[in-house]
Amino acid sequence: MFRWLFLNERALAPAEHAVWKLSALRIILVSGFLLEAIVAIDSSIDAWRVGAYQVLWIVAFFYVVLSAGLYYSARNLHTGAAILLATVYAAAFSIYSFIDQFSIAKLGIIFIYTAPIIARLFFGTRLALLLMAVNFLPFGMLLLNRPLVSFPGINMTLQGAHAYIQSLLFLFFNVCIPLAVFRVLHTLDKSVSQIQLASKELEVSHGQYQEIFQNAGSALLLTDAGGKILQSNHLADSLLGRDSNTDKETVLFEWISLDNSVRLKVGGADESANMRMSAYRTRDGKMVALENISQTSNDHYIVALRDVSGLHSMHHALQLSLEREDYLSSHDPLTDLPNRDMLRQHLQGVLSNPHHGKVTALVSFRLNSIRHANQQFGAHTGDILLRRFAEDLKRALPPNCFCARLRSIVFSFVLDHSRTPGEIITLVEKIRHALPKEMEIEGATLMVQFSAGIALIRAEDKEPDDLIRRSEMALDTARRSSDQTVTLFDEEDAQQIRRSVEVEVGIVNGLKLKEFRLLYQPKVRHDGSIAGIEALLRWKSATLGNVPPAEFIPIAERAGLIRHISNYVLDQACAQIREWLDKFGSCPVVAVNLSASDITRNDLIQLIETSCQRYQVAPSYLEFEITETGLIANENLSIQHLDALKARGFGIAIDDFGTGYSSLSKLSHFPAQSVKIDRSFVAQIGYNRKSEMIIKAIVSLANILLCTTVAEGVENESQEMFLKEVGCDFFQGYLYYRPLEVEALDDLFAQNDSPMQDAGAFASSATL
């Protein structure tokens, strides 16, 4: 509460404190040393004259002390000031105690009244107050008019003592102390002038700052570390919708929402120069970015705001455009369904994360009635039909079922987590019944006709395109098997698809459970001796019963399973040849059928050689039969593989010759050693003159191509007689042998001393 009484030392710089304090101390010491020297010299002469030598010693003592004060003031201000205080009290004590005239002696007490002033100047308020309190004691003694203490043996009373004491008081109070005070006041005046000048400069600077702050062209805020708004310019208030005079909310984050901030890209066309900033929404819906935050020296922050509402709108529009572009790149614009690329991505995820123990299927629906709608009512009506069908299909599908528009009129969806293929079929039928049979479009009634194809995902499936291809193949099969004038997916079609799916699944399981086996049908010469045998695959399923090759082979080819079947047949045939060689010492040539996809396999040669090496079977014991149609499916690769097989010593035969559409020029390039006449021609012998002429032509052509001929399906003697007459080399059919089990062939071979000619004999006859 008494601070207003004292000089605020914080108003001066530390260097200025030291200067004026040292200056004030030296003024007192030097002025006292010089000015009071007159009194000292005069009193010393007087004391010498009367023999008061103690006065000389006391005067010398004080001058030594003052000299020490001057000396130490240059080194330590407080030491010099302490010596000064001690000198003042010592002088007062000496005068008061050593002069026996009390009226003169008590004048010495006046010296100590300057002690609080000196203490305040050089030591601070506490010591000054303490000395003020101490001075009450001698002051009280003066009021009582009693000496404080006396020393009778020492007397400093001179004749001019009164004048000396008065002179000392005059010089000390009128010169020394005022000069020191003048020095302090001069410093204060100088400081006040500096403060006034600085205040004026500060006012000018503040005005300039205010001008800059208000008219900087940016919305600026001054806040503390907690976000409290200390000052804001007009642009900032306008941007925040804030009135700095009336609004009580002073925290910045009460005016902008930190939730759901938006990241915006700002910059030019150069991507490297682009920056990203966070934008926040104000109370009135504007978008504001904290463009820059700078910390000041006193832990305040200058915040620069930027109105990015327009940029946000542009960014939002661009984002919507990009999202729309991305959506259109992965969706069909007509039906809003995912497109083929999205279907492939989804299937890739399904194939990468299979659900073991569950059945997953890709089902495709083909909207066949779209052609009628386009032709009768125009493409616009057809588009409406497609959209309506897509909407109905999505509603009919199970929740979260992925559905896509595969191509123009084909829609595909994925059914997963079923336990059996039968559940898939049941679910597809349920979806079929949920779809409308007809639609009303712009006053016209349109039939809704569609076919369906199902492809089950197998463990070895890795590529989505393979699964899509199998689904479309199943779809085409279902479409061709139905009447085009009615709803294509009827009960008969459902039964056919169910059977196809069951057979496809059964093939995979049948190979694992070894349900397939090989039968062998002999080929005979003119004399009835066995010239070779053909390996024929049979399948007896535990669930489907006996499934004929004419049913499961096409399904296996469509489903991509034929290579697994061919691998099995080749392995079993080589194993059986090895068994017969070990048992009988010889073996006829065994013919194995290759499909069109087998002959173009990249690993065909390696597969055949590996099987032969495993069972130590010479190439001359194997003959490969391939259909004429299969040969021309991929002519160049087929010829390349067949040439390689022939060069290794394997026999090559063209099966079902005459049923294809090959030209003679193409057939002449195939490295065939044998030609098999299709049973459809043999069955017409005696009934169809054209078939007989075809047989004669085939035999003549085979002779030209240096090939032997084998007639399939010989069932009676009249057929045999005709075939022998036209020059056919070998015969195969029920007239001689049905397909036999291995045990029956073993018995047949055992009954004859020479049950069979070996492969070398047949190979020799085949090259005649």
Side-chain angles (χ1 to χ4, degrees):
M1 61 180 295
F2 297 105
R3 289 181 181 178
W4 63 275
L5 290 173
F6 311 115
L7 174 67
N8 184 7
E9 296 180 359
R10 295 181 181 178
L12 302 176
E16 292 177 335
H17 281 296
V19 169
W20 72 256
K21 285 184 178 182
L22 178 60
S23 176
L25 177 61
R26 286 182 174 179
I27 287 173
I28 296 173
L29 291 173
V30 171
S31 62
F33 191 89
L34 295 177
L35 296 175
E36 295 173 10
I38 300 172
V39 177
I41 293 172
D42 187 69
S43 62
S44 297
I45 293 173
D46 193 14
W48 180 268
R49 191 168 44 243
V50 297
Y53 298 112
Q54 65 273 16
V55 174
L56 297 177
W57 289 109
I58 293 173
V59 170
F61 169 77
F62 279 107
Y63 268 85
V64 170
V65 173
L66 288 175
S67 298
L70 282 172
Y71 174 79
Y72 282 105
S73 66
R75 290 164 174 77
N76 190 298
L77 177 66
H78 287 164
T79 302
I83 292 175
L84 176 61
L85 280 174
T87 301
V88 170
Y89 275 99
F93 179 80
S94 297
I95 295 171
Y96 190 75
S97 300
F98 299 152
I99 294 178
D100 56 0
Q101 295 181 14
F102 185 69
S103 61
I104 298 174
K106 63 184 181 181
L107 294 177
I109 299 299
I110 299 175
F111 279 101
I112 67 176
Y113 295 160
T114 63
I117 298 175
I118 296 172
R120 175 61 186 86
L121 287 177
F122 303 111
F123 293 99
T125 305
R126 291 184 180 180
L127 181 59
L129 293 174
L130 177 62
L131 294 181
M132 289 172 63
V134 170
N135 288 346
F136 275 98
L137 177 61
F139 176 74
M141 298 301 295
L142 288 177
L143 292 178
L144 295 175
N145 203 26
R146 292 174 57 188
L148 180 65
V149 65
S150 64
F151 297 92
I154 301 175
N155 186 11
M156 293 177 54
T157 306
L158 298 175
Q159 184 178 357
H162 184 270
Y164 296 149
I165 299 302
Q166 292 290 348
S167 297
L168 289 176
L169 290 174
F170 171 77
L171 292 174
F172 191 70
F173 281 96
N174 191 65
V175 179
C176 297
I177 296 301
L179 287 177
V181 173
F182 293 164
R183 178 67 179 91
V184 174
L185 293 177
H186 172 72
T187 301
L188 290 176
D189 290 340
K190 182 179 178 181
S191 299
V192 169
S193 298
Q194 291 176 347
I195 292 172
Q196 289 176 345
L197 180 60
S199 178
K200 291 180 180 179
E201 293 176 351
L202 184 61
E203 289 179 0
V204 174
S205 176
H206 179 71
Q208 293 173 344
Y209 161 76
Q210 285 293 104
E211 288 291 329
I212 295 173
F213 187 75
Q214 292 294 342
N215 303 296
S218 299
L220 299 177
L221 297 171
L222 180 65
T223 72
D224 61 10
K228 182 179 180 181
I229 301 175
L230 305 177
Q231 192 173 0
S232 60
N233 63 9
H234 301 311
L235 288 177
D237 290 337
S238 176
L239 184 57
L240 295 177
R242 173 177 176 268
D243 187 343
S244 57
N245 296 321
T246 59
D247 287 323
K248 297 180 180 180
E249 295 89 342
T250 58
V251 178
L252 173 60
F253 302 114
E254 294 178 352
W255 292 92
I256 61 176
S257 175
L258 296 181
D259 299 332
N260 302 321
S261 62
V262 179
R263 296 286 292 174
L264 300 178
K265 183 174 71 173
V266 295
D270 185 6
E271 186 68 24
S272 62
N274 289 335
M275 302 185 301
R276 289 190 175 272
M277 62 170 59
S278 296
Y280 308 94
R281 192 172 299 279
T282 65
R283 292 182 177 181
D284 54 2
K286 296 178 183 177
M287 296 302 296
V288 174
L290 306 183
E291 190 172 31
N292 186 49
I293 301 176
S294 302
Q295 186 175 6
T296 66
S297 59
N298 53 356
D299 292 334
H300 290 165
Y301 295 87
I302 299 175
V303 181
L305 303 179
R306 180 179 176 183
D307 187 355
V308 292
S309 300
L311 182 61
H312 174 260
S313 298
M314 293 174 58
H315 182 271
H316 182 64
L318 178 61
Q319 188 67 27
L320 291 178
S321 177
L322 292 175
E323 291 176 357
R324 180 62 179 170
E325 181 180 353
D326 181 67
Y327 180 84
L328 292 178
S329 67
S330 59
H331 286 73
D332 170 52
L334 180 63
T335 62
D336 283 336
L337 288 176
N339 58 19
R340 188 186 188 98
D341 290 338
M342 280 289 288
L343 176 63
R344 292 180 71 257
Q345 294 179 21
H346 180 79
L347 290 177
Q348 188 65 62
V350 173
L351 295 176
S352 302
N353 300 282
H355 295 277
H356 300 290
K358 298 293 185 179
V359 179
T360 303
L362 176 64
V363 183
S364 295
F365 280 4
R366 184 182 189 275
L367 185 59
N368 300 287
S369 54
I370 192 67
R371 177 180 297 179
H372 173 71
N374 287 336
Q375 290 176 348
Q376 187 171 357
F377 302 102
H380 175 68
T381 301
D383 289 344
I384 297 176
L385 178 59
L386 282 170
R387 283 197 298 268
R388 292 272 299 277
F389 182 77
E391 293 170 358
D392 291 338
L393 179 59
K394 285 190 292 185
R395 283 193 292 268
L397 294 176
N400 301 321
C401 179
F402 187 88
C403 180
R405 188 182 182 188
L406 183 61
R407 48 188 172 87
S408 59
I409 58 174
V410 177
F411 300 86
S412 299
F413 53 92
V414 179
L415 297 179
D416 52 6
H417 303 302
S418 297
R419 289 174 295 181
T420 64
E423 286 188 3
I424 294 288
I425 297 299
T426 301
L427 185 54
V428 171
E429 290 180 341
K430 181 179 179 181
I431 295 171
R432 172 180 65 87
H433 289 303
L435 293 173
K437 302 300 183 293
E438 58 184 27
M439 291 183 185
E440 291 287 338
I441 299 178
E442 296 182 347
T445 301
L446 299 180
M447 299 295 295
V448 179
Q449 299 174 336
F450 60 93
S451 52
I454 301 175
L456 298 179
I457 294 180
R458 302 191 298 261
E460 63 270 19
D461 285 336
K462 301 299 181 184
E463 295 297 330
D465 289 334
D466 293 338
L467 184 63
I468 293 174
R469 177 182 55 81
R470 288 195 283 115
S471 174
E472 291 191 289
M473 290 176 62
L475 181 63
D476 291 339
T477 301
R479 179 174 60 88
R480 288 193 300 268
S481 66
S482 299
D483 186 357
Q484 294 295 312
T485 61
V486 297
T487 302
L488 296 177
F489 198 138
D490 56 18
E491 296 300 331
E492 183 178 350
D493 293 326
Q495 182 63 33
Q496 181 179 354
I497 293 176
R498 181 187 291 108
R499 175 66 178 181
S500 177
V501 172
E502 291 174 348
V503 169
E504 179 181 337
V505 176
I507 291 173
V508 177
N509 295 330
L511 289 171
K512 293 180 181 178
L513 299 176
K514 301 185 183 304
E515 294 178 348
F516 290 89
R517 73 186 193 282
L518 289 182
L519 301 183
Y520 299 90
Q521 187 173 22
K523 303 173 186 177
V524 301
R525 299 181 178 83
H526 284 239
D527 59 2
S529 61
I530 297 176
I533 55 178
E534 180 182 5
L536 301 173
L537 184 64
R538 296 294 183 265
W539 177 29
K540 184 176 182 180
S541 170
T543 57
L544 303 175
N546 288 316
V547 184
E551 181 180 8
F552 70 78
I553 292 297
I555 294 176
E557 289 179 340
R558 290 196 303 269
L561 297 172
I562 193 65
R563 63 169 48 225
H564 302 294
I565 292 178
S566 299
N567 293 351
Y568 172 81
V569 171
L570 181 61
D571 182 81
Q572 293 298 306
C574 289
Q576 188 59 56
I577 292 172
R578 181 73 264 162
E579 182 179 339
W580 280 331
L581 288 174
D582 293 341
K583 189 173 184 179
F584 298 105
S586 61
C587 178
V589 173
V590 176
V592 175
N593 289 279
L594 294 179
S595 68
S597 59
D598 286 329
I599 199 60
T600 57
R601 287 173 58 174
N602 293 327
D603 62 341
L604 176 65
I605 306 301
Q606 182 181 359
L607 172 67
I608 294 173
E609 289 184 337
T610 301
S611 296
C612 291
Q613 291 172 4
R614 183 186 302 120
Y615 296 103
Q616 298 181 355
V617 173
S620 57
Y621 288 104
L622 277 173
E623 180 184 51
F624 294 103
E625 297 183 359
I626 183 169
T627 63
E628 183 182 353
T629 304
L631 284 172
I632 65 174
N634 192 333
E635 183 178 346
N636 294 332
L637 189 57
S638 297
I639 293 176
Q640 179 182 343
H641 285 173
L642 292 179
D643 283 338
L645 291 174
K646 183 179 180 181
R648 286 166 171 75
F650 295 101
I652 306 298
I654 300 177
D655 196 11
D656 299 336
F657 190 83
T659 60
Y661 300 96
S662 297
S663 64
L664 294 179
S665 61
K666 288 186 177 181
L667 288 176
S668 64
H669 291 86
F670 291 121
Q673 299 161 302
S674 181
V675 172
K676 298 189 73 173
I677 303 172
D678 189 68
R679 66 181 67 250
S680 62
F681 299 119
V682 175
Q684 296 296 318
I685 294 176
Y687 302 100
N688 190 322
R689 181 64 177 170
K690 291 182 180 181
S691 295
E692 294 176 354
M693 294 298 294
I694 290 174
I695 293 174
K696 291 179 180 180
I698 292 173
V699 174
S700 298
L701 179 59
N703 291 331
I704 295 173
L705 298 176
L706 301 179
C707 296
T708 60
T709 53
V710 180
E712 295 181 311
V714 181
E715 297 184 355
N716 55 59
E717 294 179 355
S718 61
Q719 294 173 348
E720 179 190 40
M721 185 180 299
F722 175 83
L723 293 169
K724 287 180 178 180
E725 289 177 356
V726 298
C728 186
D729 298 305
F730 304 102
F731 312 96
Q732 185 180 13
Y734 287 178
L735 179 62
Y736 313 103
Y737 299 101
R738 290 178 176 272
L740 301 175
E741 300 280 356
V742 174
E743 294 79 7
L745 273 176
D746 287 346
D747 294 341
L748 178 62
F749 297 155
Q751 292 174 5
N752 301 305
D753 294 335
S754 299
M756 44 189 164
Q757 295 184 359
D758 64 11
F762 179 75
S764 297
S765 63
T767 57
L768 294 177

